[in-house]
Amino acid sequence: MTQSTPEAANITPELIAEHGLKPDEYQRLLEIMGHEPSLTELGIFSVMWSEHCSYKSSRFWLKQLPTSGPQVIQGPGENAGIVDLGDGDCAVFKMESHNHPSYIEPYQGAATGVGGIMRDVFTMGARPVANLNALRFGAPEHPKTRHLVNGVVAGIGGYGNCVGVPTVGGEVNFDAAYNNNILVNAMCIGLAKTDKIFYSAARGADLPVVYVGSKTGRDGIHGATMASAEFDDDSDEKRPTVQVGDPFTEKLLIEACLELMALDVIIAIQDMGAAGLTSSTSEMADKGGVGIELNLDHVPQREVGMTAYEMLLSESQERMLMVLKPGSEPDAEAVFHKWGLDFAVIGRTNDSGRMVVKHKGIIEADIPVANLADSAPLYERPWTTEPPPRRILAEWIEPPESIMGALKTIMAHPSGCSRRWVWEQYDHMVMGDTIQRPGGDAAVVRIHGTNKAIAACCDVTPRYVLADPAMGTKQAVAETWRNLTAVGAEPLAITDNLNYANPERPEIMGQFVQSIKGMTEACEVLAYPVVAGNVSLYNETNGVGIPPTPAIGGVGIIKDLSKRVDMSAKHAGNLLVALGAEEGHLGQTLYQQIIAGGLDGAPPPVDLHAEKATGDFVRTLIREQAIQSAHDISDGGLLVAIAEMALAGNVGVEIFPYEGTLPAHAIWFGEDQARYIIEVSPETADSILERTRQNSLPARIVGRLGGDKLSIGRAETLELAELKSAHEAWFPKYMDSVSD
């Protein structure tokens, strides 16, 4: 006989704590329910109120971010953000973290991170066309680092390569501060038509609720809760909460969903991501203003004897939930069976406003949808912040014995060396539309069948953010804007992945608050809104947190592929022109870290109006086809940027000695912002310099292409082949000793 209410469990303080709820949060749950919850209801609330799902520590501040603009079709609040590309095309994109799972089980953690972010994109009707990632590992000498790098890179490549979506860009960095909490942030971009976008709101009563994809197992249970807690010495015991992915099934799911979308029978669709069936059901019902009744007897299961609790909280991969038009079930089932995927009607919508879950004739959960989706605690946590550090003058930092020797040391160091070993593990050419391969300023992927392309990149400099969270986050936004600009793209919007330690510590919450303020200012001045994102907190082990790491993913549009450039130096005899103010800022730079032996002081200041003026000028020159190559100046400063262009084009540079008053090492290695190097012909150099004067943009000629070496005068020379060997040697040598 069916019970009218769920059976209450023996809820103890220990059980509540195991579910990640604090005593006051449990009291809030009791007030909503009016009675003790069942174990299943407790599990449902625990995942929906987890930091990972509810954003309870960050929602207050996230509301400050600029999220709209004429190019924005969909901002935050859906599975992914959407921007208009013109001609009826749109880009759908988002970035998300899989940090904790990747530390526990690097291959599957990274692989399922890639799979999950692709589902966020294709659930909106877009075909995924590009993946990127932002990876942070501990010190190279740490005993776990090599194993983690190997597993994460293999997981990203193994999943993305099998699905057939190119991995086209990203960043990889090492720092001892990530020894016990690595970061794996995955980004996906898809393309759709503006009149074929699908959303998650389940509007309408008596509609079939359909489960499609893989069967449900016990993997990933309480994954969202694990991702909302800091690590301790027992973190390896959490290995069972890491999901297991199947990229071949994901490929089938993409094709089946896109085929069904073409039949115009889907009312709402949602990926079963964090919190699995629980989150997808409750969020679809809440957005549509309806209730849903589920019968878990019909859920496809791959394990025997699964309970309602396990089915609702499982984070098994490659699963979707849909609400269909009545009567369309047979056609939809035929599509999914053709692709070898499960299809089951597991419930119906109604006008009750409640989520009712039945299993074997028993009501296991009966919860008001609005309370479940919207009543998670909203914390305005206490926060403190330190005054920004003082600027370090160049004169306070020792010059190197040799400028070229310092260049070689920086470019051979784990923080400055080539990442070729990483991106060669990925298939970056599959689908045939990758125009700019990894290793440049931004990836460029053709919009299939057109002469347009999207450009994309990921950036953040955590050492800047740790020193000054507001300024460092401004710089992260500005650098993505510069990298898109450097290939000729018009920057459109960003997605973010905000990685921080424990927000219950006021100093960590202060980092988050200041980062939001810096991001808000940068996005407003650059007209570069935030359309999607993710917050990952509690990246901390035994009280030691990561540096604040607000990874920024930028997306832009190139409207004419014939008018784009890359960073490779092109022709002997051409001149290199540096654009932007030179102040020789050495605080928090690679030079200070690697050559001077430690980081100190303020990061380089960011003048957002100078960023916009200089970037707009560079894009104008690219569209006029007045320059042959372009590169932004960032990590390592001017000399590193010149060297990167030379290596990319395999052509030497006669670098002209600096004749100003700043110390030479400050000019060559200072990381001043809002700067680019452009390659121009000798015939056009004077006219371009005249235009910079008219626009009040600082500029000077810094070198001439030619030969097979880098030289500054006669005393300072470095063979290009020697630099290339040093630059590309570290990563392969390091990874060759992988023993696992």
Side-chain angles (χ1 to χ4, degrees):
M1 189 166 101
T2 301
Q3 296 177 205
S4 58
T5 59
E7 182 179 350
N10 180 22
I11 306 297
T12 64
E14 292 77 17
L15 188 62
I16 293 167
E18 285 176 11
H19 281 75
L21 293 175
K22 292 183 167 53
D24 60 324
E25 293 175 338
Y26 183 67
Q27 288 303 312
R28 184 186 185 97
L29 185 161
L30 290 178
E31 292 169 7
I32 289 170
M33 295 294 291
H35 58 78
E36 291 278 352
S38 68
L39 178 61
T40 299
E41 289 171 336
L42 178 65
I44 289 171
F45 273 99
S46 76
V47 292
M48 292 304 294
W49 284 9
S50 68
E51 194 75 60
H52 190 76
C53 291
S54 73
Y55 288 42
K56 57 191 175 187
S57 296
S58 58
R59 287 201 323 268
F60 175 82
W61 294 101
L62 294 175
K63 293 175 183 178
Q64 296 187 6
L65 293 171
T67 59
S68 60
Q71 71 274 42
V72 177
I73 295 174
Q74 175 64 54
E78 268 290 344
N79 288 292
I82 308 177
V83 292
D84 196 339
L85 301 176
D87 305 313
D89 297 314
C90 61
V92 182
F93 62 98
K94 190 181 183 183
M95 184 190 295
E96 280 204 341
S97 61
H98 234 221
N99 302 335
H100 283 34
S102 298
Y103 181 77
I104 294 171
E105 213 307 299
Y107 185 95
Q108 291 296 346
T112 52
V114 173
I117 196 63
M118 283 197 285
R119 287 194 298 279
D120 280 339
V121 166
F122 74 75
T123 192
M124 302 199 72
R127 178 174 291 280
V129 297
N131 289 329
L132 299 91
N133 51 73
L135 311 177
R136 293 289 182 307
F137 298 101
E141 62 272 16
H142 189 273
K144 279 192 173 183
T145 298
R146 190 180 288 107
H147 161 74
L148 291 168
V149 173
N150 190 54
V152 166
V153 171
I156 291 170
Y159 204 99
N161 296 355
C162 290
V163 174
V165 176
T167 300
V168 297
E171 54 176 359
V172 182
N173 282 290
F174 298 90
D175 190 301
Y178 301 100
N179 279 350
N180 297 307
N181 286 268
I182 66 171
L183 301 184
V184 176
N185 295 171
M187 179 177 171
C188 181
I189 307 167
L191 294 174
K193 293 296 183 181
T194 55
D195 60 351
K196 291 291 184 181
I197 298 170
F198 290 80
Y199 297 96
S200 59
R203 293 188 174 90
D206 200 27
L207 303 174
V209 178
V210 174
Y211 171 120
V212 300
S214 291
K215 289 179 170 60
T216 294
R218 291 188 172 95
D219 51 324
I221 293 174
H222 272 298
T225 307
M226 179 195 69
S228 306
E230 63 185 73
F231 280 157
D232 55 30
D233 292 331
D234 299 322
S235 294
D236 282 346
E237 296 178 6
K238 299 175 182 176
R239 189 177 298 270
T241 62
V242 177
Q243 311 93 322
V244 177
D246 180 351
F248 298 103
T249 299
E250 179 103 341
K251 173 62 174 173
L252 299 175
L253 188 60
I254 292 172
E255 300 305 330
C257 286
L258 293 178
E259 182 174 332
L260 188 63
M261 287 166 172
L263 298 181
D264 195 28
V265 299
I266 299 174
I267 291 174
I269 181 170
Q270 176 84 17
D271 164 41
M272 287 193 226
L277 188 55
T278 290
S279 63
S280 55
T281 302
S282 58
E283 289 171 6
M284 291 175 78
D286 179 60
K287 290 176 182 177
V290 299
I292 286 186
E293 182 172 305
L294 298 180
N295 185 342
L296 300 185
D297 296 350
H298 302 307
V299 170
Q301 301 161 53
R302 70 166 182 260
E303 299 187 44
V304 177
M306 291 193 72
T307 65
Y309 181 101
E310 291 171 330
M311 282 186 273
L312 286 168
L313 272 61
S314 168
E315 294 184 8
S316 294
Q317 297 293 287
E318 295 89 39
R319 302 179 302 157
M320 309 287 280
L321 196 67
M322 299 179 178
V323 174
L324 302 180
K325 293 180 179 178
S328 64
E329 299 95 320
D331 291 339
E333 183 174 17
V335 169
F336 282 89
H337 284 176
K338 183 185 86 171
W339 289 99
L341 298 169
D342 279 288
F343 176 99
V345 178
I346 65 169
R348 298 194 80 82
T349 64
N350 56 49
D351 57 7
S352 70
R354 304 185 72 83
M355 175 180 168
V356 178
V357 180
K358 297 180 179 179
H359 185 222
K360 297 182 178 178
I362 296 175
I363 296 177
E364 295 281 358
D366 185 352
I367 303 172
V369 167
N371 291 117
L372 178 60
D374 298 329
S375 64
L378 176 61
Y379 294 122
E380 293 182 49
R381 296 197 183 278
W383 59 278
T384 59
T385 188
E386 297 292 327
R390 64 176 181 171
R391 174 170 179 171
I392 299 295
L393 298 181
E395 292 80 4
W396 301 348
I397 298 178
E398 285 291 321
E401 293 182 7
S402 159
I403 293 292
M404 286 300 177
L407 172 67
K408 182 179 175 182
T409 299
I410 290 171
M411 295 191 71
H413 189 273
S415 293
C417 71
S418 169
R419 270 55 179 152
R420 178 184 296 275
W421 180 91
V422 175
W423 55 260
E424 284 187 342
Q425 313 303 309
Y426 309 145
D427 188 338
H428 46 271
M429 298 302 292
V430 66
M431 301 181 77
D433 283 316
T434 303
I435 305 298
Q436 172 63 54
R437 304 183 184 195
D441 285 303
V444 178
V445 178
R446 185 195 311 272
I447 299 173
H448 193 72
T450 75
N451 195 39
K452 298 188 303 182
I454 53 170
C457 59
C458 296
D459 287 293
V460 64
T461 308
R463 64 182 187 273
Y464 292 176
V465 188
L466 181 62
D468 185 338
M471 191 65 73
T473 307
K474 276 189 212 177
Q475 191 276 339
V477 175
E479 188 171 350
T480 66
W481 199 85
R482 279 201 305 273
N483 282 330
L484 296 173
T485 293
V487 298
E490 177 187 345
L492 293 175
I494 68 169
T495 178
D496 59 52
N497 207 138
L498 308 178
N499 306 275
Y500 296 80
N502 187 341
E504 296 170 49
R505 292 199 281 140
E507 68 273 20
I508 302 301
M509 196 65 212
Q511 293 173 346
F512 184 86
V513 170
Q514 292 300 314
S515 284
I516 293 294
K517 291 181 177 181
M519 189 186 307
T520 297
E521 184 181 349
C523 291
E524 287 176 344
V525 172
L526 299 175
Y528 191 38
V530 184
V531 298
N534 173 250
V535 178
S536 175
L537 303 176
Y538 296 95
N539 292 287
E540 185 165 311
T541 296
N542 293 329
V544 179
I546 63 162
T549 311
I552 305 296
V555 172
I557 177 72
I558 299 175
K559 295 180 179 178
D560 182 352
L561 268 171
S562 69
K563 297 177 180 177
R564 69 170 187 91
V565 298
D566 57 31
M567 62 180 273
S568 61
K570 298 296 187 299
H571 303 297
N574 278 353
L575 300 173
L576 297 182
V577 177
L579 303 175
E582 296 179 294
E583 298 179 353
H585 193 106
L586 287 175
Q588 301 296 330
T589 61
L590 285 188
Y591 179 89
Q592 189 187 39
Q593 174 189 346
I594 298 169
I595 305 301
L599 293 170
D600 191 21
V606 177
D607 181 335
L608 293 167
H609 296 286
E611 289 281 3
K612 190 170 190 316
T614 310
D616 289 348
F617 180 70
V618 169
R619 271 197 315 282
T620 297
L621 293 179
I622 293 172
R623 289 170 185 166
E624 293 174 356
Q625 298 181 291
I627 61 179
Q628 281 71 59
S629 64
H631 186 25
D632 89 307
I633 300 174
S634 54
D635 270 357
L638 175 61
L639 190 56
V640 168
I642 292 173
E644 289 171 340
M645 295 178 76
L647 289 175
N650 195 30
V651 58
V653 185
E654 177 194 357
I655 301 166
F656 301 150
Y658 171 70
E659 297 179 351
T661 58
L662 288 169
H665 63 301
I667 281 296
W668 298 124
F669 301 110
E671 294 178 11
D672 308 312
Q673 301 294 296
R675 295 193 298 161
Y676 302 78
I677 303 177
I678 58 174
E679 177 188 349
V680 303
S681 67
E683 295 77 21
T684 60
D686 287 344
S687 64
I688 288 174
L689 288 173
E690 177 58 31
R691 290 171 66 179
T692 65
R693 286 189 286 271
Q694 292 171 358
N695 286 279
S696 300
L697 295 177
R700 70 181 178 94
I701 299 174
V702 294
R704 179 183 292 108
L705 299 180
D708 56 5
K709 65 184 70 174
L710 300 177
S711 64
I712 306 176
R714 294 182 178 178
E716 292 273 10
T717 64
L718 179 60
E719 297 290 332
L720 210 56
E722 180 184 349
L723 179 60
K724 181 178 181 179
S725 177
H727 185 49
E728 298 203 349
W730 184 85
F731 232 118
K733 183 177 180 181
Y734 178 70
M735 296 309 298
D736 276 348
S737 57
V738 170
S739 59
D740 57 301

